[in-house]
Each structure stands twice: as C-alpha cells, then as structure tokens.
Amino acid sequence: MARNFEVEILSNEEVAEKIFRLIVDAPELAENSRAGQFVQVKISDEFTLRRPLGIAGTLNGRVKIFFRAVGRGTENLSTKRAGERLKILGALGNGFSSREGKILLVGGGMGLAPLLCTAENFSADVLIGGRNSGEVIFWCEEFRPHVEEIFITTDDGSYSKKGFVTDFLPEILSKKNYSAIYTCGPEIMMRGVAKFAREKNLPCEVSFEKRMACGLGACLSCSIDTVDGRKKVCKDGPVFDAQKIFGGEPHE
C-alpha cells in the first residue's frame, strides 16, 4: 500500500551533466518497496503535479533516486540540499519478478535507475548503454558493487564498445546462460531486447517510463496498448512481460 512520507534529503549531487543522484532517509519506504517500483515526488507547492521517479536503491534504509534536470520541476529539484525535506508518495506500481539464476539487466540512459535497484536484490550482470562516456561512467561505478560483470556500449564510441546495446546482446547471450532479461530505457531499445529474448526463449520483463499525473491509475495519462488491451503504466506496470507489450508467447 502506497503511503505519503516526509523525508530528509541526505545528499543531492550532480554525477554527470544534468544528471543528479538524490538520496533520502526513508527506512520504512526502503523496507516496503520492490525493485522496479517508483515514487511520486512533490517538489514544492509551486508545482501542482508530483514527478514520477524510479527507485534506484534501498540499502541501509536510504532510498536512492536518479533524475535528469530537463524542465522547471526537475531543475528546481536539483537545487535541493542536504537537510531539506521532501514529500514522497510510494512505493508505487509493480516491480520485477523474483527468479532463480542470473539475470541480465539491459538499460539505456536513465532507464538504468530501476535496474540498479534490481542488481542490489538479484544475482545479475548488466549491459549499459549511453550516448557518450559521460552517460555511462558513473553508472559503472554504481553497478560495480552489485553485479558480477558489466558490459558497456556508447553511441559515439567514446567509452568501451561503439554501438547500441542490441548490437552486442547476441554476443553476450551466446557466451553466458541467463534465467531472464530485465530491461528499461527507450522503447525502441526495449523492443529490440525483447526480440532477442524471444529468439533465445528467455523470459523478458520491460519497465516503461511514461509521463504520469496522479501515479495511482485514476487520470489515465500513462495508458499504453498491450495484447490484453489498454493498461496503465503506473498501476498495471511499470514492469510488464515483454510479450504482453511487443507480442509473442508470454513466459510464465
């Protein structure tokens, strides 16, 4: 059951250009959230709508959140400092499924945030994709304590392999056995990842990022089409079986 919390900011640091890592003291929220869920953050009374942000970590009673400062709301959030307080509604939505065996996490851009929380909770490797070195180096540092192996691609080749995550996914899947693939990022990327998972007969779960007004399933602003009809990302997701979204036979 989602609850409202007023929490203290422990740190709010810019870790890459316009990308911030926010850590708040929220032991009850941390204890009662699952990897893949999200929160709605009330930035200030100036902004009517809360901002949906994925939970990136829950260790030691501290909730970690990453966000990109791209508009008035997130720009304002980026100015918050340690000691200030925030109102947060959470945890919301459905998380990733618990599975035996090693999971391959595949993420691009800010879609890596919920996958980091997943890496904290499951045995996993991660395939990280970004536009350039600045978008991947800090993610490597975040994931390193929680995964066995890190694979990296950049669009411009400025760090590790040049290309997209889907360019190197077949090579990775041919060398290691995984029990499932969990992915979050641009829809075109997730569609490609789901295709390779289907070809390998691997369960695949996708986490969708959508603009949300209420975060509770009432306003319908985050609805998407699935094989089972229209679903709400905030309430029915944000995690879905990939084949329910992109077609094919769903896995149990």
Side-chain angles (χ1 to χ4, degrees):
M1 176 72 69
R3 286 186 50 201
N4 280 294
F5 297 91
E6 184 172 318
V7 300
E8 180 183 353
I9 296 174
L10 299 176
S11 63
N12 190 22
E13 301 174 290
E14 189 173 16
V15 294
E17 185 177 5
K18 293 287 188 179
I19 298 175
F20 289 79
R21 179 182 59 217
L22 171 68
I23 299 177
V24 300
D25 184 30
E28 189 173 349
L29 174 60
E31 183 179 356
N32 292 288
S33 62
R34 291 175 52 202
Q37 289 187 299
F38 67 98
V39 295
Q40 290 274 76
V41 177
K42 183 173 179 59
I43 296 171
S44 73
D45 291 337
E46 179 185 352
F47 301 94
T48 304
L49 299 179
R50 298 173 184 252
R51 297 305 191 271
L53 298 170
I55 296 174
T58 57
L59 296 180
N60 303 315
R62 299 177 172 187
V63 172
K64 182 185 295 186
I65 295 167
F66 288 87
F67 66 94
R68 192 189 299 271
V70 294
R72 287 181 60 245
T74 46
E75 287 282 1
N76 185 292
L77 184 59
S78 72
T79 68
K80 304 290 185 183
R81 295 292 175 258
E84 294 186 56
R85 302 187 74 80
L86 278 177
K87 292 180 180 178
I88 292 179
L89 175 65
L92 298 164
N94 297 305
F96 289 104
S97 303
S98 297
R99 294 184 188 274
E100 298 294 329
K102 188 176 292 296
I103 296 165
L104 178 62
L105 309 173
V106 183
M110 299 307 293
L112 285 152
L115 298 182
L116 178 59
C117 191
T118 309
E120 288 183 358
N121 289 275
F122 303 139
S123 174
D125 291 339
V126 63
L127 172 56
I128 294 172
R131 290 178 294 184
N132 51 52
S133 60
E135 287 202 353
V136 299
I137 291 175
F138 77 93
W139 284 120
C140 294
E141 296 304 312
E142 293 287 343
F143 274 95
R144 189 164 284 118
H146 308 297
V147 298
E148 182 177 311
E149 194 163 0
I150 299 175
F151 309 98
I152 307 158
T153 72
T154 50
D155 297 356
D156 63 1
S158 58
Y159 194 83
S160 194
K161 293 185 176 182
K162 181 178 181 178
F164 305 120
V165 295
T166 47
D167 294 333
F168 300 99
L169 189 56
E171 178 184 339
I172 295 168
L173 293 177
S174 70
K175 292 180 178 179
K176 300 189 75 170
N177 293 320
Y178 295 99
S179 61
I181 300 176
Y182 293 168
T183 182
C184 184
E187 184 173 339
I188 190 171
M189 181 208 78
M190 294 195 296
R191 186 180 294 275
V193 172
K195 176 178 178 291
F196 285 117
R198 186 165 62 249
E199 291 173 354
K200 289 287 186 177
N201 199 34
L202 277 174
C204 181
E205 295 184 6
V206 298
S207 178
F208 266 78
E209 300 169 301
K210 284 281 187 180
R211 290 184 179 274
M212 299 174 188
C214 71
L216 299 170
C219 69
L220 307 180
S221 66
C222 63
S223 296
I224 60 170
D225 290 317
T226 76
V227 296
D228 296 325
R230 295 286 283 176
K231 298 291 184 180
K232 292 167 272 191
V233 171
C234 66
K235 189 173 182 180
D236 301 310
V239 177
F240 296 90
D241 185 304
Q243 310 316 322
K244 292 286 188 179
I245 304 295
F246 301 126
E249 292 298 321
H251 290 272
E252 295 297 331

